[in-house]
Amino acid sequence: TGVEKLTLSASVQNTALRALNGRKGTVGVYNYKTGELLCAVTSPTYDPDNVPDIAGDTTGAYEGVYLNRFLQSGYVPGSIFKIVTTAAALECVPDIESRTFYCDGAYEYGTEAVTCETAHGTLDLKGALAHSCNCSFAQIAKLVGRKNMEKYVAKYGITDALSFDGVTSAKGNYDIADTGGASFAWSCIGQHSDLINPARFMTFLGTVAAGGKGVEPYLVASVERDGEAVYTASAQSTGRIMGEETAKKLQQYLRNNVQTIYGDGNFPGLSVCAKSGTSQLGGGQKSNAMFAGFVMDESYPLAFIVVVENGGYGSATCVPVLSQVLQACKTELDSRP
Protein backbone atom coordinates (compact mmCIF):
# COMPACT_ATOMS: atom_id res chain seq x y z
CA THR A 1 0.00 0.00 0.00
CA GLY A 2 1.14 3.55 -0.78
CA VAL A 3 0.73 6.67 1.32
CA GLU A 4 1.14 10.16 -0.13
CA LYS A 5 1.79 13.02 2.25
CA LEU A 6 0.87 16.46 0.95
CA THR A 7 2.32 19.80 2.00
CA LEU A 8 -1.13 21.41 2.27
CA SER A 9 -2.29 22.50 5.71
CA ALA A 10 -5.90 21.49 6.44
CA SER A 11 -6.33 24.41 8.85
CA VAL A 12 -5.02 26.96 6.32
CA GLN A 13 -7.12 25.45 3.53
CA ASN A 14 -10.27 25.58 5.67
CA THR A 15 -9.52 29.14 6.75
CA ALA A 16 -9.13 30.23 3.11
CA LEU A 17 -12.36 28.51 2.08
CA ARG A 18 -14.30 30.12 4.92
CA ALA A 19 -12.78 33.54 4.13
CA LEU A 20 -13.84 33.28 0.46
CA ASN A 21 -17.34 32.64 1.83
CA GLY A 22 -18.84 31.10 -1.30
CA ARG A 23 -17.32 33.60 -3.71
CA LYS A 24 -15.58 32.29 -6.80
CA GLY A 25 -11.80 32.61 -6.72
CA THR A 26 -8.58 31.14 -5.42
CA VAL A 27 -6.04 31.54 -2.61
CA GLY A 28 -2.49 30.23 -2.97
CA VAL A 29 0.34 30.37 -0.40
CA TYR A 30 3.73 28.67 -0.52
CA ASN A 31 6.98 28.72 1.40
CA TYR A 32 9.43 30.44 -0.94
CA LYS A 33 12.44 28.93 0.86
CA THR A 34 11.37 25.27 0.82
CA GLY A 35 8.77 25.22 -1.97
CA GLU A 36 6.04 23.70 0.23
CA LEU A 37 2.54 24.65 -0.92
CA LEU A 38 0.52 25.38 2.22
CA CYS A 39 -2.67 26.55 0.52
CA ALA A 40 -4.16 26.00 -2.93
CA VAL A 41 -7.87 26.63 -2.47
CA THR A 42 -10.23 27.01 -5.38
CA SER A 43 -13.85 28.05 -4.92
CA PRO A 44 -16.61 26.99 -5.42
CA THR A 45 -16.01 23.45 -4.22
CA TYR A 46 -18.02 20.67 -2.58
CA ASP A 47 -17.63 17.89 -0.04
CA PRO A 48 -16.99 14.61 -1.94
CA ASP A 49 -18.48 12.76 1.06
CA ASN A 50 -21.70 14.77 0.71
CA VAL A 51 -22.10 15.60 -2.99
CA PRO A 52 -24.76 18.25 -3.62
CA ASP A 53 -27.08 18.30 -6.67
CA ILE A 54 -24.60 20.19 -8.85
CA ALA A 55 -26.36 19.36 -12.12
CA GLY A 56 -29.71 20.52 -10.77
CA ASP A 57 -28.41 23.74 -9.19
CA THR A 58 -30.07 26.87 -10.65
CA THR A 59 -28.39 29.48 -8.42
CA GLY A 60 -25.02 29.42 -10.20
CA ALA A 61 -23.29 28.62 -6.89
CA TYR A 62 -21.47 25.67 -8.46
CA GLU A 63 -20.64 27.26 -11.80
CA GLY A 64 -17.09 26.19 -12.74
CA VAL A 65 -16.87 23.84 -9.75
CA TYR A 66 -14.71 21.38 -11.71
CA LEU A 67 -12.19 24.08 -12.67
CA ASN A 68 -9.08 24.34 -10.50
CA ARG A 69 -8.79 28.11 -10.54
CA PHE A 70 -5.34 28.08 -8.95
CA LEU A 71 -3.80 25.93 -11.68
CA GLN A 72 -6.09 26.08 -14.70
CA SER A 73 -7.27 29.69 -14.85
CA GLY A 74 -5.87 32.69 -16.67
CA TYR A 75 -6.92 35.97 -15.05
CA VAL A 76 -6.62 39.57 -16.20
CA PRO A 77 -4.05 40.70 -13.60
CA GLY A 78 -4.91 44.38 -13.29
CA SER A 79 -2.48 46.39 -11.22
CA ILE A 80 -0.62 43.46 -9.64
CA PHE A 81 1.12 43.38 -13.05
CA LYS A 82 2.66 46.78 -12.22
CA ILE A 83 5.15 44.79 -10.12
CA VAL A 84 6.47 43.31 -13.37
CA THR A 85 6.68 46.71 -15.08
CA THR A 86 8.39 48.22 -12.03
CA ALA A 87 10.97 45.41 -12.04
CA ALA A 88 11.63 45.94 -15.76
CA ALA A 89 12.05 49.69 -15.21
CA LEU A 90 14.49 49.13 -12.34
CA GLU A 91 16.52 46.77 -14.52
CA CYS A 92 16.69 48.77 -17.75
CA VAL A 93 16.12 52.49 -17.07
CA PRO A 94 19.33 53.68 -15.32
CA ASP A 95 17.94 56.82 -13.68
CA ILE A 96 14.38 55.57 -13.07
CA GLU A 97 14.46 56.23 -9.32
CA SER A 98 15.42 59.88 -9.74
CA ARG A 99 12.64 60.56 -12.26
CA THR A 100 9.18 61.87 -11.44
CA PHE A 101 5.86 61.48 -13.23
CA TYR A 102 2.93 63.86 -13.27
CA CYS A 103 -0.70 62.71 -13.16
CA ASP A 104 -3.67 65.03 -13.67
CA GLY A 105 -6.05 62.10 -14.17
CA ALA A 106 -5.34 61.48 -17.86
CA TYR A 107 -2.22 60.95 -19.95
CA GLU A 108 -2.31 61.23 -23.73
CA TYR A 109 -0.50 58.32 -25.37
CA GLY A 110 -0.78 58.26 -29.15
CA THR A 111 -4.35 59.04 -30.17
CA GLU A 112 -5.86 57.82 -26.89
CA ALA A 113 -5.59 58.56 -23.20
CA VAL A 114 -4.65 56.44 -20.19
CA THR A 115 -6.75 57.46 -17.20
CA CYS A 116 -6.70 57.35 -13.40
CA GLU A 117 -9.69 57.57 -11.06
CA THR A 118 -8.01 60.48 -9.32
CA ALA A 119 -5.29 63.04 -10.11
CA HIS A 120 -2.20 61.91 -8.20
CA GLY A 121 0.05 64.90 -8.90
CA THR A 122 3.82 64.30 -8.97
CA LEU A 123 5.09 60.84 -8.04
CA ASP A 124 8.38 58.95 -8.19
CA LEU A 125 8.50 55.24 -9.09
CA LYS A 126 7.93 54.08 -5.51
CA GLY A 127 4.96 56.44 -5.14
CA ALA A 128 3.55 55.47 -8.53
CA LEU A 129 3.46 51.82 -7.43
CA ALA A 130 2.02 52.62 -3.99
CA HIS A 131 -0.76 54.80 -5.44
CA SER A 132 -1.17 52.48 -8.45
CA CYS A 133 -1.08 55.48 -10.78
CA ASN A 134 -1.98 54.47 -14.34
CA CYS A 135 -0.80 57.78 -15.81
CA SER A 136 2.63 57.37 -14.21
CA PHE A 137 2.84 53.80 -15.48
CA ALA A 138 1.99 54.94 -19.00
CA GLN A 139 5.05 57.21 -18.79
CA ILE A 140 7.15 54.42 -17.25
CA ALA A 141 6.03 52.08 -20.06
CA LYS A 142 7.37 54.57 -22.61
CA LEU A 143 10.77 54.61 -20.87
CA VAL A 144 10.97 50.81 -20.67
CA GLY A 145 9.82 50.29 -24.26
CA ARG A 146 8.18 47.38 -26.00
CA LYS A 147 11.24 45.20 -26.58
CA ASN A 148 12.29 45.43 -22.96
CA MET A 149 8.77 44.62 -21.71
CA GLU A 150 8.69 41.50 -23.87
CA LYS A 151 12.23 40.62 -22.74
CA TYR A 152 11.53 40.90 -19.01
CA VAL A 153 8.09 39.23 -19.12
CA ALA A 154 9.87 36.28 -20.77
CA LYS A 155 12.87 36.42 -18.38
CA TYR A 156 10.62 36.42 -15.30
CA GLY A 157 8.56 33.52 -16.70
CA ILE A 158 5.31 35.44 -16.17
CA THR A 159 3.43 33.72 -19.02
CA ASP A 160 5.11 30.30 -18.78
CA ALA A 161 3.21 27.24 -17.61
CA LEU A 162 4.31 25.92 -14.21
CA SER A 163 4.78 22.17 -13.80
CA PHE A 164 5.13 20.24 -10.54
CA ASP A 165 4.06 16.85 -9.19
CA GLY A 166 2.66 15.77 -12.55
CA VAL A 167 0.40 18.80 -13.01
CA THR A 168 0.90 21.72 -15.38
CA SER A 169 -0.71 25.12 -14.96
CA ALA A 170 -2.36 27.24 -17.61
CA LYS A 171 -0.10 29.66 -19.45
CA GLY A 172 -0.40 33.41 -19.15
CA ASN A 173 -0.55 35.93 -21.99
CA TYR A 174 1.39 39.07 -22.85
CA ASP A 175 0.88 40.09 -26.47
CA ILE A 176 1.74 43.60 -27.64
CA ALA A 177 2.13 42.83 -31.35
CA ASP A 178 0.45 45.52 -33.47
CA THR A 179 -0.74 47.50 -30.43
CA GLY A 180 -1.05 51.27 -30.42
CA GLY A 181 0.61 53.44 -27.78
CA ALA A 182 -2.27 53.46 -25.31
CA SER A 183 -2.81 49.69 -25.65
CA PHE A 184 0.89 49.11 -24.95
CA ALA A 185 0.61 51.33 -21.87
CA TRP A 186 -2.45 49.41 -20.68
CA SER A 187 -0.51 46.15 -21.16
CA CYS A 188 2.08 47.47 -18.68
CA ILE A 189 -0.75 48.29 -16.26
CA GLY A 190 -2.11 44.72 -16.38
CA GLN A 191 -5.02 45.24 -18.74
CA HIS A 192 -5.10 45.04 -22.59
CA SER A 193 -4.99 41.25 -23.32
CA ASP A 194 -2.78 40.35 -20.32
CA LEU A 195 -3.48 37.09 -18.48
CA ILE A 196 -1.68 35.53 -15.51
CA ASN A 197 -2.02 32.11 -13.94
CA PRO A 198 -2.25 32.38 -10.11
CA ALA A 199 0.21 29.56 -9.36
CA ARG A 200 2.84 30.98 -11.72
CA PHE A 201 2.44 34.60 -10.51
CA MET A 202 2.69 33.48 -6.88
CA THR A 203 5.95 31.71 -7.75
CA PHE A 204 7.30 34.85 -9.44
CA LEU A 205 6.65 36.81 -6.24
CA GLY A 206 8.30 34.10 -4.14
CA THR A 207 11.37 34.48 -6.32
CA VAL A 208 11.37 38.26 -5.74
CA ALA A 209 11.14 37.61 -1.99
CA ALA A 210 14.06 35.17 -2.20
CA GLY A 211 16.29 37.80 -3.83
CA GLY A 212 15.73 36.99 -7.51
CA LYS A 213 16.52 33.28 -7.36
CA GLY A 214 13.86 31.11 -5.79
CA VAL A 215 12.29 27.65 -5.72
CA GLU A 216 9.31 26.14 -7.48
CA PRO A 217 6.34 25.09 -5.35
CA TYR A 218 5.49 21.44 -4.72
CA LEU A 219 2.48 19.60 -3.33
CA VAL A 220 3.66 16.04 -2.65
CA ALA A 221 5.97 15.99 0.39
CA SER A 222 6.65 12.25 0.40
CA VAL A 223 5.43 8.87 -0.77
CA GLU A 224 5.65 5.71 1.34
CA ARG A 225 5.15 2.14 0.22
CA ASP A 226 4.79 -0.60 2.81
CA GLY A 227 6.11 1.76 5.46
CA GLU A 228 9.23 2.74 3.52
CA ALA A 229 9.86 6.16 1.97
CA VAL A 230 10.19 5.83 -1.80
CA TYR A 231 10.05 9.56 -2.53
CA THR A 232 10.88 12.69 -0.54
CA ALA A 233 10.42 16.10 -2.11
CA SER A 234 13.26 18.57 -2.44
CA ALA A 235 13.21 22.19 -3.58
CA GLN A 236 13.80 22.79 -7.29
CA SER A 237 15.50 26.11 -8.06
CA THR A 238 13.93 28.56 -10.50
CA GLY A 239 17.43 29.78 -11.37
CA ARG A 240 18.16 33.49 -11.22
CA ILE A 241 15.44 35.48 -13.01
CA MET A 242 16.23 38.93 -11.62
CA GLY A 243 19.18 40.90 -10.30
CA GLU A 244 19.52 40.87 -6.53
CA GLU A 245 19.46 44.68 -6.32
CA THR A 246 16.22 44.81 -8.31
CA ALA A 247 14.64 42.19 -6.05
CA LYS A 248 15.70 44.10 -2.92
CA LYS A 249 14.28 47.34 -4.29
CA LEU A 250 10.97 45.63 -5.12
CA GLN A 251 10.85 44.20 -1.59
CA GLN A 252 11.19 47.76 -0.23
CA TYR A 253 8.56 49.15 -2.59
CA LEU A 254 6.03 46.42 -1.85
CA ARG A 255 6.69 46.74 1.89
CA ASN A 256 6.03 50.47 1.55
CA ASN A 257 2.68 49.70 -0.13
CA VAL A 258 1.49 47.83 2.96
CA GLN A 259 2.90 50.33 5.43
CA THR A 260 1.43 53.39 3.70
CA ILE A 261 -1.66 52.12 1.83
CA TYR A 262 -3.04 48.73 2.93
CA GLY A 263 -2.11 48.89 6.61
CA ASP A 264 0.26 46.76 8.71
CA GLY A 265 -2.54 46.38 11.26
CA ASN A 266 -4.24 43.89 8.93
CA PHE A 267 -1.30 41.51 9.30
CA PRO A 268 -0.22 41.49 12.97
CA GLY A 269 3.22 40.07 13.61
CA LEU A 270 4.10 39.86 9.90
CA SER A 271 6.12 42.07 7.53
CA VAL A 272 3.87 41.86 4.49
CA CYS A 273 4.90 43.23 1.07
CA ALA A 274 2.11 43.38 -1.51
CA LYS A 275 0.22 44.97 -4.38
CA SER A 276 -3.50 45.06 -5.05
CA GLY A 277 -5.21 44.86 -8.41
CA THR A 278 -8.69 45.66 -9.66
CA SER A 279 -8.87 43.97 -13.04
CA GLN A 280 -11.48 45.39 -15.36
CA LEU A 281 -13.30 42.77 -17.41
CA GLY A 282 -15.57 44.82 -19.70
CA GLY A 283 -19.07 43.85 -20.73
CA GLY A 284 -20.59 45.46 -17.65
CA GLN A 285 -19.01 42.87 -15.35
CA LYS A 286 -17.81 43.83 -11.88
CA SER A 287 -14.00 43.82 -11.69
CA ASN A 288 -12.02 40.91 -10.30
CA ALA A 289 -10.23 41.67 -7.04
CA MET A 290 -6.54 40.66 -6.89
CA PHE A 291 -3.89 40.83 -4.17
CA ALA A 292 -0.40 39.34 -4.37
CA GLY A 293 2.88 39.53 -2.51
CA PHE A 294 4.98 37.91 0.20
CA VAL A 295 6.05 38.05 3.85
CA MET A 296 9.63 39.18 4.55
CA ASP A 297 10.20 37.26 7.78
CA GLU A 298 12.80 34.55 8.41
CA SER A 299 10.24 32.49 10.32
CA TYR A 300 7.39 33.00 7.82
CA PRO A 301 8.80 32.94 4.28
CA LEU A 302 5.44 32.94 2.49
CA ALA A 303 4.41 34.15 -0.96
CA PHE A 304 0.71 34.45 -1.78
CA ILE A 305 -1.98 35.36 -4.27
CA VAL A 306 -5.69 36.00 -3.66
CA VAL A 307 -8.26 36.28 -6.46
CA VAL A 308 -11.95 37.01 -5.86
CA GLU A 309 -13.88 36.96 -9.11
CA ASN A 310 -16.17 39.98 -9.56
CA GLY A 311 -15.00 41.09 -6.12
CA GLY A 312 -14.48 44.77 -7.01
CA TYR A 313 -11.57 46.65 -5.45
CA GLY A 314 -8.53 44.46 -4.81
CA SER A 315 -7.44 45.66 -1.39
CA ALA A 316 -10.93 46.11 0.10
CA THR A 317 -12.01 42.60 -0.89
CA CYS A 318 -8.80 40.57 -0.66
CA VAL A 319 -7.05 42.00 2.42
CA PRO A 320 -9.67 40.60 4.87
CA VAL A 321 -9.31 37.18 3.20
CA LEU A 322 -5.50 37.27 3.27
CA SER A 323 -5.42 38.56 6.84
CA GLN A 324 -7.16 35.39 8.06
CA VAL A 325 -5.14 33.07 5.82
CA LEU A 326 -1.74 34.47 6.83
CA GLN A 327 -2.62 34.22 10.54
CA ALA A 328 -3.55 30.57 9.95
CA CYS A 329 -0.21 30.07 8.16
CA LYS A 330 1.61 31.73 11.06
CA THR A 331 -0.13 29.44 13.57
CA GLU A 332 0.71 26.41 11.39
CA LEU A 333 4.40 27.31 11.09
CA ASP A 334 4.63 28.19 14.81
CA SER A 335 3.27 24.74 15.69
CA ARG A 336 6.02 22.92 13.81
CA PRO A 337 9.07 21.66 15.72
Side-chain angles (χ1 to χ4, degrees):
T1 58
V3 178
E4 261 188 18
K5 288 188 178 175
L6 302 183
T7 60
L8 296 174
S9 159
S11 64
V12 175
Q13 291 270 105
N14 284 325
T15 299
L17 203 55
R18 281 196 304 270
L20 283 170
N21 195 25
R23 295 170 293 184
K24 294 178 176 67
T26 184
V27 181
V29 185
Y30 90 120
N31 182 318
Y32 58 77
K33 286 185 177 176
T34 66
E36 294 170 278
L37 198 52
L38 274 73
C39 181
V41 158
T42 178
S43 174
T45 187
Y46 64 91
D47 182 354
D49 292 329
N50 185 23
V51 181
D53 180 15
I54 292 169
D57 176 65
T58 57
T59 66
Y62 293 104
E63 188 184 340
V65 72
Y66 300 118
L67 175 71
N68 184 317
R69 287 163 155 82
F70 180 65
L71 286 168
Q72 297 171 314
S73 286
Y75 286 105
V76 178
S79 290
I80 62 172
F81 195 84
K82 287 173 181 162
I83 301 169
V84 180
T85 306
T86 301
L90 285 166
E91 294 222 73
C92 75
V93 184
D95 61 345
I96 190 67
E97 288 193 274
S98 61
R99 287 179 178 257
T100 57
F101 311 96
Y102 184 71
C103 168
D104 61 6
Y107 179 75
E108 300 291 333
Y109 200 142
T111 56
E112 298 174 63
V114 171
T115 56
C116 280
E117 285 188 359
T118 184
H120 293 108
T122 302
L123 297 168
D124 60 6
L125 182 63
K126 185 180 182 181
L129 187 65
H131 293 282
S132 205
C133 175
N134 293 341
C135 294
S136 293
F137 270 88
Q139 296 164 66
I140 292 161
K142 217 179 239 184
L143 293 171
V144 173
R146 293 167 188 258
K147 283 187 177 175
N148 276 325
M149 276 307 293
E150 288 176 328
K151 170 186 165 183
Y152 287 108
V153 166
K155 186 181 173 189
Y156 302 153
I158 302 298
T159 59
D160 295 349
L162 178 69
S163 294
F164 58 92
D165 297 329
V167 296
T168 300
S169 77
K171 289 184 175 182
N173 185 69
Y174 185 77
D175 183 3
I176 54 172
D178 306 319
T179 54
S183 293
F184 168 58
W186 283 115
S187 82
C188 299
I189 291 164
Q191 293 291 153
H192 183 49
S193 61
D194 296 5
L195 292 174
I196 57 108
N197 168 258
R200 167 51 77 189
F201 203 79
M202 176 198 73
T203 305
F204 162 66
L205 287 165
T207 306
V208 173
K213 182 182 177 183
V215 294
E216 304 281 18
Y218 64 85
L219 184 60
V220 179
S222 63
V223 179
E224 288 181 7
R225 285 211 180 94
D226 300 321
E228 285 192 29
V230 294
Y231 169 79
T232 303
S234 58
Q236 300 296 312
S237 174
T238 58
R240 179 160 294 286
I241 65 164
M242 177 185 292
E244 197 169 352
E245 283 305 308
T246 302
K248 279 184 180 171
K249 195 61 69 174
L250 278 178
Q251 292 165 13
Q252 292 167 15
Y253 282 17
L254 295 171
R255 182 78 189 103
N256 175 64
N257 287 358
V258 177
Q259 289 173 315
T260 61
I261 305 293
Y262 311 127
D264 263 340
N266 291 303
F267 312 108
L270 298 169
S271 298
V272 176
C273 311
K275 178 77 189 80
S276 65
T278 306
S279 47
Q280 292 159 7
L281 305 175
Q285 291 187 76
K286 192 176 180 183
S287 299
N288 285 347
M290 319 284 283
F291 202 75
F294 45 84
V295 183
M296 285 303 293
D297 285 329
E298 284 293 318
S299 303
Y300 313 108
L302 304 167
F304 55 79
I305 188 163
V306 179
V307 180
V308 180
E309 294 178 19
N310 309 121
Y313 286 103
S315 57
T317 302
C318 297
V319 166
V321 173
L322 182 67
S323 177
Q324 295 173 61
V325 171
L326 287 184
Q327 286 305 311
C329 288
K330 187 174 183 290
T331 301
E332 168 74 23
L333 293 180
D334 284 343
S335 72
R336 294 181 178 182

